[in-house]
Amino acid sequence: MQRRNERFVERLPLVLRRPWHAYLLATIFCLTALAIRTMAESAMPIGYPFVSFFPAVILSSFLFGVRPGIYAGVLCGLLSWYFFIPPRMGFALHPGVLLALGFYSAVVVVDIALIHLMQKANFNLAIERERSRVLAENRELLFHELQHRVSNNLQVVAAMLSLHRRHVDHDLARRALDDASARLALVGRISRALYNPSGEGQNIRAFLTTLTADVLEASGRDNIALTVDAPDALTLEPDIAVSMALIVTEAVSNAIEHGLPHRGGSIHVGLDVSDGTISLNVTDDGKGLSPDFDPGFSQSLGLRISNALAGQLNGRFSLMPSATGGATARLDLPVRA
């Protein structure tokens, strides 16, 4: 309703198919004001001849513009002069009449001028609003095109790494190229899915559910039960989406590859907010960490990447034994104000 009213106001003054229609309607407004003033004669003091005519002038100016407003002002002035300024039924001219007509003319001129200036400003505002809308649409189009190109470029780089892998004989080098290709492809998919021009975040529960399901499907394992538990109302800000996705992907992949390499099991991804901290836990019921495992001296590339990404988010990443006998990868992030 509010938007409909705004559109109507932006169209003022109305442009009718035939210009004389505006003057006809202005005449009707003036005659209506005359009828109202006549009916209120018994209750109206004699010193208020113009009281019902001002609304007719204002309405004519507001709806049809300056010229119909001036026409209504002149017609209402003549009607009030003839019918309600003593001596009535005539156009007597004396100082009292001149003073009354001067006051009436001044009020009418001010009303018409203010309405004209208001509509002119409103017209300029409508033009700027339309220009802003077009610019916003162009910005959104360019943004999506940029994101599309960036994502495609990342996919191309990932594909090139996969092609180079075929010409590498060293197992360690081939594994490194596989990891780099998979991570680039993941960043490309996340960028395309999450970023938008408005900067709005995505529901974190839906994000984690989709992400972990993709990781599990990519592993080819059908004997692992994966569950996600996160608050429904919590949203993920776009500027931390890629970093968190890489950390979660690394944690789930490690749970599948190292925690449950040869048997089925379960992986639970849980997220909660307490004491100004967002805590994300990826827990499996696999074989757990080796007794001599020291995260501070680990040479795992994935663990080093997770620690680096957590540091970029002003958070902390840790890997520890879980109560179920497996391992828990934990990411702690500060809550943003």
Side-chain angles (χ1 to χ4, degrees):
M1 180 64 69
Q2 182 180 358
R3 180 56 183 165
R4 188 176 303 173
N5 293 335
E6 289 178 356
R7 290 178 179 175
F8 174 75
V9 173
E10 289 175 358
R11 293 172 54 195
L12 296 176
L14 300 177
V15 179
L16 304 180
R17 292 183 179 179
R18 292 180 174 84
W20 61 268
H21 284 173
Y23 294 93
L24 175 61
L25 292 173
T27 302
I28 294 174
F29 294 156
C30 294
L31 294 178
T32 302
L34 174 62
I36 293 174
R37 180 64 178 82
T38 301
M39 289 186 293
E41 180 68 21
S42 59
M44 192 71 64
I46 193 172
Y48 296 89
F50 310 110
V51 67
S52 65
F53 293 98
F54 289 122
V57 177
I58 293 173
L59 192 59
S60 299
S61 302
F62 185 74
L63 293 178
F64 309 121
V66 174
R67 292 183 179 180
I70 294 175
Y71 165 77
V74 173
L75 180 58
C76 287
L78 292 174
L79 291 174
S80 60
W81 185 6
Y82 184 81
F83 288 103
F84 303 107
I85 296 180
R88 299 188 177 191
M89 305 303 175
F91 296 102
L93 196 61
H94 53 78
V97 173
L98 292 176
L99 181 61
L101 291 177
F103 172 77
Y104 168 80
S105 300
V107 174
V108 166
V109 168
V110 170
D111 288 343
I112 294 175
L114 289 177
I115 292 173
H116 174 67
L117 293 175
M118 180 194 71
Q119 290 182 340
K120 187 176 180 180
N122 188 65
F123 177 75
N124 293 333
L125 179 62
I127 292 177
E128 291 299 325
R129 186 182 291 115
E130 180 64 19
R131 185 178 301 169
S132 298
R133 185 189 64 81
V134 173
L135 289 175
E137 290 181 354
N138 291 337
R139 184 195 67 171
E140 183 175 356
L141 180 63
L142 292 174
F143 185 90
H144 284 303
E145 179 64 21
L146 176 61
Q147 287 301 120
H148 179 72
R149 290 183 180 274
V150 170
S151 299
N152 284 348
N153 290 339
L154 290 173
Q155 299 288 347
V156 169
V157 174
M160 291 177 61
L161 291 176
S162 297
L163 289 175
H164 283 297
R165 175 189 178 280
R166 300 177 183 178
H167 305 288
V168 175
D169 296 330
H170 197 279
D171 290 339
L172 185 60
R174 295 179 67 175
R175 183 177 299 179
L177 289 175
D178 284 339
D179 290 344
S181 176
R183 289 188 176 98
L184 280 174
L186 176 64
V187 171
R189 291 198 303 271
I190 295 170
S191 296
R192 182 175 297 178
L194 287 185
Y195 285 124
N196 59 75
S198 64
E200 295 178 354
Q202 187 180 103
N203 181 275
I204 196 168
R205 184 173 188 175
F207 167 76
L208 292 175
T209 301
T210 302
L211 177 65
T212 53
D214 289 344
V215 175
L216 183 60
E217 181 180 358
S219 70
R221 300 285 296 276
D222 57 2
N223 58 349
I224 295 177
L226 198 152
T227 58
V228 176
D229 183 19
D232 290 329
L234 193 62
T235 57
L236 178 66
E237 297 180 8
D239 56 341
I240 68 171
V242 173
S243 297
M244 179 177 284
L246 290 173
I247 294 173
V248 173
T249 300
E250 189 66 37
V252 174
S253 298
N254 282 339
I256 295 173
E257 181 180 355
H258 301 292
L260 302 164
H262 305 299
R263 67 175 179 85
S266 63
I267 300 174
H268 177 73
V269 179
L271 185 143
D272 57 59
V273 181
S274 61
D275 299 329
T277 302
I278 299 176
S279 298
L280 175 69
N281 295 283
V282 179
T283 303
D284 65 78
D285 59 355
K287 64 180 184 179
L289 303 174
S290 61
D292 58 346
F293 175 78
D294 187 350
F297 295 94
S298 174
Q299 298 300 314
S300 168
L301 177 62
L303 186 58
R304 294 204 302 271
I305 291 176
S306 297
N307 280 312
L309 292 173
Q312 292 178 3
L313 300 176
N314 296 322
R316 184 171 60 89
F317 178 82
S318 58
L319 188 61
M320 66 194 76
S322 68
T324 59
T328 296
R330 182 182 180 94
L331 174 65
D332 293 314
L333 298 175
V335 175
R336 298 190 178 187

